Every structure is written in structure tokens, then in C-alpha cells.
Amino acid sequence: MQSPTVANYLNSPTGWKSWLFTLDHKRIGIMYLAAIMTFFAVGGVLALIIRLQLLSPHGTLVSANTYNQLFTLHGAIMIFLFIIPSIPASLGNFVLPQMLGAKDVAFPRLNLASWYVYVFGSLFALYSIVAGAVDTGWTFYTPYSTTTNTSVVSMTLGVFILGFSSIFTGLNFIVTIHKLRLPGMTWFDMPLFVWGLYATAIIQVLATPVLGITLVLLILERTMGIGIFDPAMGGDPVLYQHFFWFYSHPAVYIMILPGMAIISELVAAFTHKKIFGYKAIAFSSLAIAFISFLVWGHHMFTSGQSELAAMMFSFLTFLVAIPSGIKVFNWVATMYKGRISLETPMLYTLSFLFLFSIGGLTGIFLGALGVDVHLHSTYFIVAHFHYVMMGGTVMAFLGGLHYWWPKMFGKMYSEFWGRIATILVFIGFNVTFFTQFILGAKGMPRRYYNYLDQYQPLHAFSSYGSWILGLGFLIMFIYLIHSLFKGKKAPGNPWGALTLEWTNSSPPPTENFETTPVLTHGPYAYDTVVADRG
Amino acid sequence: MNSESKSHAPHIVPLTTYLAIGSALFVLTAITVWVAHIPLGGWNVVVALFIAGIKATLVALVFMHLLYDKKMYLVIFVSAIVILSIFIMLTMFDVNERGTINAAEAGPINSQSDMYKGRVVDTLAAEHGEAAEAHQPDSVKAVAKPDSSKK
Amino acid sequence: MTHADNRPAHLAHHFTDVEQQKDSAKLGMWLFLLTEVLLFGGLFAAYAIYRSTHIDMFYNAHKFLDVRLGALNTFVLIFSSVTMALAIRSVQLGDRRKALVNLGITLVCAGIFLVVKYFEYSHKFHMGQLPGKFYTFNGIAGSNPHIFFSIYFMMTGLHGIHVLGGIGTIGWMMVRTAKGEFSADYYTPLELTGLYWHLVDIIWIFLFPLLYLIG
């Protein structure tokens, strides 16, 4: 039954050196994918331990110090090692040049450098675990981070290095999108996944350097006591927060924009309908990128920031919801009177629409100053950002992963188990995190290792949810890896989609296209074109 | 394949232009130093930054060819400055408005760091002898020696 | 599908023509310069905030900076920017020898800059005007004068590191120019190096008045 293996990017060239020194964006994307999924699992296990500790109000599974280290590690790994690189570096790297009809990204060597810098930075950050794990929270607030005797320097140095990886990827994508499109492919012929990656890349190059200098200043503050963040030295700890959040707020849009970009692709492909409001979605991505730089102070409403500044940031925060809302409306409008097929990627899409809407709306609650005073640093915040980051980005990432999996590996995964896992993830996620909205509204503070008895039933319920969630992911890991060995051979275009990456074989050849593609229709021309599912 | 004749021959800036801009930069530097010695209060920094801005613009437009190249590069450069300005302006707005609504928040957090405890600042030396002598080359013997409270 | 005989050696396989490769390189370089502006920008922000809240201290502290040395360094860097631009112009006109001379002068200027900074730094070390907790000088009135020197050393230090990087890159460009790797048709790496060097100059153009010419 096995047909002779055709040469593709996976099997030719061969040898470990061809992978170590590869300049092929697809191979780099796959290597990133493996690392990202590994760190997702590590971060997830840390979360399970945290939720185990929180099963009982006076739990002694771990000590208080260890608990601080656990949530710091969970946050730092999930944010810097998993979610920020996730979509752009893995799926983006793999798909972007193909969607543009190009042979590679603009700077393949920079791409490889980005990968190695990512590996190096990750190792540095992980080394800090053994060198005296950081317990400051992933935000490294001063003055605690300048005085605690845990390995803040090695962790922040690791994150500093990881920042370069992110900048390299963003820079590469911007130039690729500007310069390597097929002749005849205008900006408005590009798939919306590309627009999303473009907006993300703009944020990556603008914001990440500020994180870089912030971490350098933090390291210098710790080692040389320069005195700009530490009150004992005459410094201002709120200034650190300004510096930190100037990057870290746009960073959350680095996380969500690629996810939204994937949703645009999935909604069109699995509704078999032209996307509604292409230009609105495209421009809203750019609008989100720009406005994201204006709102960072909403993380600091209770920090001692001036109230006038807080008011300004609050107003600007409401603005940023508008383009996101525009997108949601356009996706739903696309689905209206469409021919929806409920394969796994579409199930993740529906999950995204539901969960991201909740996450986004709760962000609006938090943008209101009076409300935030009560909810800041409670579990409401924890629930909010998990809804947008996990209910949003991770669902979109998994949807994209399942969408492009046949293309990347030439194998189909089990649709049956895919659906089971998605449903378990959806249920588990809501049980875990919706409960936390209630916990937070009732006053349960975040980052607490013990708590008052009255919160115990809700905490326990949330922990049970984490097990359902974990089970869902476990099943997903199993059938995905199983598909690599035993999956059905995938055709070039299993979904009948219309973007250029579906015109080549699965897996694609090393140079992406046997002959340079010719653009004959738009990326969502489902009304005029019927693509072969094969 | 390449039908854009505009970029066929890259623009070569005349030698005189480079030398003229270079001279202008020297002159503007001298002016900056000269104006710094005129007491204008809060306007000194404004004038200094304004002249620096002109110098930077000349370097960017001519030496870096922004005047002659694709507009995209100018857009990129200006965007960086715009985003940076947003950061500085909003942060300064916060710092300056700390005490506006709640007067207790105004003022420095810690106007005298712990490391100065026990030191008496030799301000006489600071105002008179120091300023002039500090500008001499290495032969200067530190007038204000680090005193005994040095850690 | 590509014909090796039509494509120059330096044209990468994924570009359709030299124009596309050159434009891509330049676009990439400008994006990199954007990141450098934001990187230094953080320090400018710290400067702005601390100067606005410690006006007198900054004024008193800056008097210990030597304006003449600062101005000298400014002239040196401006001059090096001119020679850098002239070097590229020479290559555009096919004059390899002049290009090398101009690159050499640029390199020498960069060296002079660092030597002057060395003298400035060692003078401060001698006086105890060090950043942060190492500050031991006792002649500046105002609150927390160590902050001025923290900011001074950080800003000029980061800038100095970039000058060092520039020296390495320009030196490497000299080697490649001497080997004849560049011509009127291809000098992109040189052009990108020039862009980098001009940005280093621009940053100093702002550092000089902000640190040396306060009030």
C-alpha cells in the first residue's frame, strides 16, 4: 500500500547536519513546533501542580516559596518560551512563504539564527530553575526582583536573549511580505493570515527592544545598584512597571493577532465561503497593532500611577476593543448562510469565537477604573487572561495546527479523536477558568499559595477542570504523534481550501513549488472556484 | 522583469552636498555649545534638542539617503520616533501628575538614598573650586576626596 | 528553474533579481535601525524622567563632564559620518582606493572617539563618580547624584558598545573592499554598514547636549 516516497522537505536532504544547518523555512518551522509544544507541555505540568496545591486551602503539597517559583516559572515559560513564538515561529514560518508563492523568507540565515537564539535563550531561562528558581512572578516587579536572592539575572538574561529571536522573526516577516510576494499579488490579494502576521511583526520589532532595555536595566539594578527602580536607592518602582508594560501590553497582541489571523483562514475554509469584510479585518489588524502601544498603563491602575494618567489609559483601553469586535462580527457574518463543516479545526474555531469573546469582554470590565480597583490582582484577572490567551490564542493555534498538519507531515490525524480532544479541552477549559471569574469577583487574590476556607469549593472545582483539560491535551498529543507514524497519507488539499499552500504536495517539496505559481483567483474565492479536495 | 526604471541607477549624492552638510553639522554643533552658555532657564534644553533634531534630520535625509530613497524607509524611521515619543510623553505625564489629585503622592519617593547617610556634601567645593578644576586633565588631584563614609 | 549563468554569484536562490535582494536588505536594515532607536529610547526615557524630577542635581552633576571633550567627540563622529558617506560614494564611482582611504579615516575617528571616552571614564573612576552603589564622590549638591552618573554611564556605555561594533563591522568592510568584493553594481553590505554608522552618530548628536550641555 505504501507508494514510493516522493522527495519532500522532510526526507531530502538527509542527515542530521542538513537539519542543523538548514535554511529551509519549513524545517525551521517544524523544529520550532517541536520546541514550542514541549514547552507548552512543561508549562502545563507546572499548572497542574499549582492547581493540585490549590485543591485545599491549607495545602502542603509544596512550600510557599516553591509555590512562588512554580507560578513564576509557569508564567515565564508559557509566555516567553511558548506563546509569543508559537504561531509566528512555527506555523508562520512554515506557511507564510508558501502563501505568498515564494521560495523562502527574505533572510533564511536570519531565520536559522532566530531558531538558535531561541534555543540558547530558552536554555538560559531554564538554567535559572536549577540556579535558584525565580519567585518574583513573570513580571519581575521591583523592588522585590532587585533584592530577592533567586536567579533573577539568569532568567532575565534568558528572556533578553529570547527577545532577539522574536525581533529576528518579525523583521524577516515584514521584509518577506513587502518584497517576496508573487508578481501580481497585491496587498489585498494576500490571505488574512499574512495580514495578521504582518501586524504582529510590526509590534515585535517596535516593542521588544524596550523589553530588552528594561531587562538590562533590571540586571544592572541588581548587580550595580544603579538606583532607578529601587526606592532605597532613590528610584521609582512604578517606573519599572511603565518600562515593563510598554512591551508587555503590545506583547499580548503579539500573542492574539496571529491567532485571529488563523481564525480568518479557518472560518473561510470550513464555511466554504468568501470571508466577509476582508479589508475591515485586514485594517483592524493594523489598528490593533497601533492602539496596543497606547494602553499599557491599564496594568498599573493600582500601582501608584497618577490618577490622571490612569484615566487616560482607561479611555484608550476601551478603544482597542473596537477593532477586535469588528473582526468577531466579520467572522460570524462569514459563517452566516455558509456551508459549515465541523472538522476539528472548525471546532477549535468555534471554541475561539466563544471563549475569546468572553475574554475580550472581561477585558473591558477591567478597563473601567473603578471595577479594576476591586478586581486587580484577583483571580478575575487570571481568568481574563487565560480566556484570551488560552481560549483565544491556544485554540486558534491548535485549530491552525490541525488545519496545516496534513500539509506539514503528509499524514491525516484521527478526526474522531480530534473531536473528542477538542470537546474535552473546551469543557475542561471552562470548568477551570470560568470558576476563576467567580473566585476573583468574590475576592480571592492571585499568586496566593493558601487561602480562606470559603473559597475551597470553587478552587476544587477549578482543579477538577484542569484535569479534564490535561486529559484533552494528552489525547491530542497522543493521536498527533500517532498520526506521524500511522496516519493516512494526506492529499495535497484535504480541505478544499484556496490559498497557495494547498496547491503543492503534502508534504511540500523543498523549494515549495515545482513551478512558480500563477495567481488566478483570490484567497477566498469560494463563490467562483471549487478546489479539489485532493 | 524589472520595469521600475527609477531604481535602475542609484542616486549618487554630489561631493559638494556631503561636504556642505558636514560643514553645516559642525556649525550647528558650535552653535549648540555657544547657546548652552546663555542662561535661558527651561528653554536651554528645548533649543539644544531643537538644534540636535535639525542635525539628526540632516544626517538622516542626506547621509542616510532618506531624501533619495523609497518612502518606506522614511516611514519606518519616523514610526520608531513616534512610538518612542508616545512612551516618553505618557510616562512623563504620569510622573509629573502624581500629586495632582492626591497631594500625598507628589514629591520624590526617596530623596536621599541610604548610601548617603552620614555624608555631608561638600557643596562649597561643588560650587567654587570643583567646576573649574574638574575640567583639567589627569593632573587634577580630586579636590573632594571620597570621604570616610565611602562603603 | 533558475539558470546559473544569468544570476550573479551574490544573488541568493530565493530572490528573483538583484534589485529585489538589494531592496530587501535595505528594508531589513532600516527595520533593525528601528529596533536600535527603541532600545536607546528606553534610556532616553529614563533620562527624561530623572532629569525632570532632579533638575538641580542634574545641573550640578553635569558640570563634572568636560564639554570640550564632549564637543571634540561630536566633531569626530560627524567627521566620521562624512567619510563613511564618501567611502560609499567612492565605491559607487568605482574608486576602490579612495573608498579604502575613507573607510580607514572613519575607523580612525571611531578609535579617537573611544580613546577620548576612555580618558573621560578613567577620570570619573578616579573621582569616584561611578554608577549606582559604587558612587563615592562627595561634591555634588542635590538628591541622589549617583543617578546622574548611572544614566551617564549607561547611555554612553551602550553607545560605546555600538561604536565598538561599528569598528568591527567597518574593519570587516575594509577587508572585503580591499579584496574587490564590491563594485558600482554591488555594495549593499557597505551601504548597510553606513546606515548603521550614521545612526550611531545620530544617537551621539542627542547624547551630547543632553548630558554635557545642561542649562
Side-chain angles (χ1 to χ4, degrees):
Chain A
M1 269 271 14
Q2 277 289 12
S3 46
T5 346
V6 177
N8 59 59
Y9 81 99
L10 283 172
N11 58 29
S12 84
T14 53
W16 59 272
K17 272 198 271 200
S18 73
W19 280 87
L20 206 62
F21 301 113
T22 184
L23 295 178
D24 182 358
H25 64 98
K26 301 183 289 299
R27 285 190 166 191
I28 293 173
I30 300 298
M31 291 195 287
Y32 259 115
L33 183 66
I36 279 159
M37 298 302 281
T38 307
F39 289 128
F40 181 60
V42 170
V45 166
L46 288 167
L48 287 172
I49 300 174
I50 290 172
R51 288 262 32 112
L52 264 180
Q53 161 67 21
L54 293 172
L55 259 180
S56 52
H58 310 288
T60 48
L61 181 70
V62 297
S63 71
N65 275 337
T66 309
Y67 185 78
N68 292 348
Q69 294 167 333
L70 281 173
F71 68 67
T72 303
L73 260 180
H74 168 74
I77 289 179
M78 282 303 203
I79 288 178
F80 294 115
L81 276 65
F82 165 64
I83 207 171
I84 283 178
S86 61
I87 295 172
S90 64
L91 300 175
N93 253 326
F94 188 90
V95 172
L96 176 70
Q98 295 182 67
M99 273 189 166
L100 299 179
K103 293 207 186 95
D104 209 310
V105 289
F107 308 120
R109 285 176 301 185
L110 189 66
N111 210 5
L112 187 65
S114 155
W115 161 246
Y116 279 123
V117 169
Y118 170 77
V119 172
F120 185 55
S122 304
L123 289 176
F124 230 105
L126 293 173
Y127 160 75
S128 72
I129 301 176
V130 295
V134 182
D135 60 350
T136 58
W138 78 276
T139 46
F140 312 119
Y141 277 9
T142 59
Y144 185 59
S145 59
T146 44
T147 50
T148 176
N149 60 6
T150 53
S151 57
V152 174
V153 174
S154 55
M155 170 71 97
T156 48
L157 213 44
V159 175
F160 176 75
I161 295 168
L162 286 167
F164 281 102
S165 171
S166 188
I167 290 174
F168 290 172
T169 302
L171 196 154
N172 223 336
F173 282 6
I174 293 176
V175 181
T176 306
I177 293 168
H178 270 269
K179 306 273 8 158
L180 287 177
R181 295 193 306 276
L182 269 184
M185 184 189 274
T186 69
W187 280 83
F188 298 115
D189 295 317
M190 299 192 314
L192 288 166
F193 184 47
V194 179
W195 276 98
L197 288 175
Y198 183 66
T200 307
I202 291 176
I203 304 178
Q204 279 174 300
V205 296
L206 279 172
T208 318
V210 179
L211 177 72
I213 197 71
T214 305
L215 296 177
V216 165
L217 287 174
L218 186 63
I219 293 173
L220 290 178
E221 183 90 5
R222 253 183 96 80
T223 52
M224 291 179 24
I226 43 171
I228 68 170
F229 296 142
D230 187 352
M233 293 288 291
D236 181 3
V238 179
L239 186 63
Y240 171 81
Q241 296 186 32
H242 276 296
F243 270 76
F244 179 82
W245 288 109
F246 185 75
Y247 163 75
S248 299
H249 185 77
V252 313
Y253 295 97
I254 294 176
M255 300 172 202
I256 195 63
L257 276 171
M260 291 169 154
I262 291 181
I263 296 300
S264 295
E265 296 303 318
L266 299 182
V267 160
F270 291 91
T271 317
H272 306 93
K273 195 161 163 271
K274 190 171 187 172
I275 195 99
F276 187 93
Y278 173 96
K279 279 196 179 160
I281 298 181
F283 287 128
S284 67
S285 304
L286 296 180
I288 291 174
F290 175 64
I291 304 177
S292 73
F293 281 98
L294 307 177
V295 302
W296 78 88
H298 67 223
H299 298 268
M300 299 160 56
F301 285 153
T302 62
S303 64
Q305 182 181 230
S306 84
E307 290 85 349
L308 273 180
M311 286 184 222
M312 272 187 22
F313 280 120
S314 171
F315 173 73
L316 291 165
T317 302
F318 292 123
L319 283 185
V320 80
I322 298 174
S324 304
I326 289 175
K327 283 181 192 273
V328 173
F329 286 130
N330 278 302
W331 292 321
V332 174
T334 307
M335 287 165 59
Y336 179 66
K337 288 198 176 164
R339 225 177 3 105
I340 300 173
S341 52
L342 291 171
E343 281 114 328
T344 306
M346 191 55 179
L347 290 181
Y348 277 114
T349 305
L350 295 173
S351 297
F352 175 96
L353 288 173
F354 181 74
L355 300 173
F356 174 73
S357 296
I358 294 178
L361 286 170
T362 52
I364 300 299
F365 303 167
L366 294 167
L369 272 174
V371 175
D372 188 75
V373 168
H374 290 281
L375 296 178
H376 179 73
S377 255
T378 67
Y379 262 79
F380 196 91
I381 304 271
V382 176
H384 159 71
F385 64 66
H386 280 96
Y387 262 82
V388 281
M389 290 204 285
M390 191 180 215
T393 304
V394 174
M395 295 300 135
F397 172 63
L398 295 177
L401 185 65
H402 286 75
Y403 180 55
W404 281 302
W405 187 269
K407 175 60 58 180
M408 291 193 285
F409 299 108
K411 298 283 170 69
M412 299 298 292
Y413 51 84
S414 157
E415 185 59 39
F416 173 75
W417 285 108
R419 289 172 171 165
I420 300 269
T422 317
I423 292 169
L424 280 174
V425 163
F426 181 80
I427 294 174
F429 176 84
N430 280 301
V431 173
T432 311
F433 291 107
F434 199 85
T435 320
Q436 294 184 6
F437 278 127
I438 304 172
L439 266 172
K442 285 179 177 292
M444 170 72 204
R446 66 186 283 205
R447 294 178 171 168
Y448 272 40
Y449 123 107
N450 274 348
Y451 53 83
L452 298 175
D453 290 330
Q454 68 208 56
Y455 297 117
Q456 203 259 339
L458 287 170
H459 263 300
F461 194 62
S462 177
S463 295
Y464 304 149
S466 72
W467 300 340
I468 304 173
L469 191 54
L471 178 64
F473 285 131
L474 183 63
I475 295 177
M476 187 189 78
F477 272 106
I478 293 175
Y479 71 70
L480 282 179
I481 295 183
H482 177 266
S483 79
L484 292 177
F485 300 103
K486 294 284 198 328
K488 247 178 34 187
K489 190 162 169 3
N493 191 355
W495 316 114
L498 294 178
T499 40
L500 282 174
E501 77 273 22
W502 300 108
T503 62
N504 54 28
S505 58
S506 300
T510 304
E511 56 292 355
N512 290 345
F513 302 100
E514 306 280 337
T515 53
T516 314
V518 177
L519 210 53
T520 52
H521 56 75
Y524 308 111
Y526 291 100
D527 46 349
T528 48
V529 179
V530 177
D532 290 327
R533 276 195 175 225
Chain B
M1 188 175 321
N2 175 18
S3 54
E4 295 166 356
S5 53
K6 172 184 186 272
S7 39
H8 220 46
H11 179 271
I12 302 183
V13 177
L15 179 63
T16 44
T17 309
Y18 280 141
L19 296 178
I21 301 290
S23 314
L25 290 170
F26 282 154
V27 168
L28 287 169
T29 307
I31 293 177
T32 315
V33 177
W34 175 64
V35 172
H37 290 103
I38 303 172
L40 297 170
W43 286 100
N44 274 110
V45 67
V46 176
V47 172
L49 282 178
F50 180 68
I51 301 177
I54 296 178
K55 288 160 74 180
T57 308
L58 288 175
V59 173
L61 288 179
V62 181
F63 289 176
M64 297 173 91
H65 290 195
L66 282 178
L67 207 51
Y68 315 105
D69 273 341
K70 295 191 188 319
K71 291 292 159 265
M72 187 68 212
Y73 309 142
L74 185 59
V75 168
I76 292 174
F77 193 56
V78 170
S79 317
I81 296 171
V82 166
I83 296 289
L84 180 60
S85 308
I86 291 173
F87 178 44
I88 295 180
M89 287 191 318
L90 276 176
T91 309
M92 284 206 67
F93 179 77
D94 169 44
V95 172
N96 289 335
E97 299 288 334
R98 288 268 169 92
T100 311
I101 291 187
N102 185 359
E105 288 176 21
I109 291 176
N110 185 6
S111 60
Q112 199 65 339
S113 158
D114 298 340
M115 68 190 231
Y116 295 106
K117 296 242 162 74
R119 280 201 223 171
V120 176
V121 176
D122 197 355
T123 42
L124 227 72
E127 282 165 28
H128 296 290
E130 258 311 313
E133 271 160 304
H135 292 167
Q136 278 162 23
D138 284 288
S139 55
V140 90
K141 60 276 152 230
V143 172
K145 278 207 180 9
D147 62 23
S148 52
S149 67
K150 129 178 148 161
K151 292 202 175 59
Chain C
M1 65 165 278
T2 57
H3 303 284
D5 46 353
N6 270 352
R7 298 171 67 92
H10 60 84
L11 180 61
H13 83 284
H14 58 288
F15 288 115
T16 42
D17 56 64
V18 186
E19 198 67 40
Q20 192 188 47
Q21 179 171 282
K22 183 167 87 84
D23 285 347
S24 301
K26 224 166 172 186
L27 186 61
M29 191 64 198
W30 274 105
L31 288 168
F32 171 66
L33 295 185
L34 176 153
T35 67
E36 292 277 57
V37 169
L38 266 309
L39 184 78
F40 276 93
L43 293 178
F44 280 101
Y47 170 92
I49 282 144
Y50 278 99
R51 178 164 169 183
S52 71
T53 52
H54 296 75
I55 297 178
D56 292 332
M57 182 274 279
F58 262 62
Y59 174 74
N60 291 332
H62 103 281
K63 286 197 270 184
F64 290 88
L65 263 47
D66 190 338
V67 179
R68 297 164 314 173
L69 290 181
L72 171 65
N73 264 350
T74 310
F75 285 120
V76 163
L77 271 190
I78 291 175
F79 189 72
S80 75
S81 253
V82 176
T83 52
M84 184 76 226
L86 291 180
I88 294 171
R89 186 171 175 278
S90 302
V91 171
Q92 284 178 311
L93 295 170
D95 191 338
R96 194 202 315 176
R97 200 193 65 84
K98 253 217 202 107
L100 282 171
V101 168
N102 276 312
L103 284 176
I105 299 175
T106 311
L107 219 49
V108 168
C109 287
I112 293 175
F113 181 90
L114 287 181
V115 166
V116 170
K117 282 241 75 64
Y118 167 76
F119 280 117
E120 286 185 281
Y121 276 19
S122 50
H123 180 60
K124 288 194 182 44
F125 278 38
H126 179 64
M127 300 270 276
Q129 290 159 343
L130 291 167
K133 67 183 189 203
F134 302 109
Y135 177 83
T136 54
F137 184 64
N138 187 24
I140 297 175
S143 60
N144 298 321
H146 63 284
I147 290 181
F148 175 82
F149 290 100
S150 297
I151 290 179
Y152 168 82
F153 276 104
M154 283 196 298
M155 294 184 94
T156 57
L158 187 64
H159 181 259
I161 290 172
H162 281 79
V163 171
L164 212 53
I167 289 176
T169 313
I170 294 170
W172 180 36
M173 287 300 123
M174 279 187 76
V175 169
R176 292 184 70 179
T177 309
K179 283 209 237 166
E181 284 184 35
F182 303 128
S183 66
D185 292 320
Y186 173 71
Y187 53 93
T188 310
L190 205 52
E191 199 173 4
L192 303 190
T193 306
L195 287 175
Y196 172 80
W197 190 248
H198 293 308
L199 186 73
V200 170
D201 185 21
I202 287 179
I203 291 169
W204 182 260
I205 282 173
F206 283 99
L207 283 185
F208 172 56
L210 290 178
L211 292 172
Y212 291 79
L213 300 177
I214 299 179

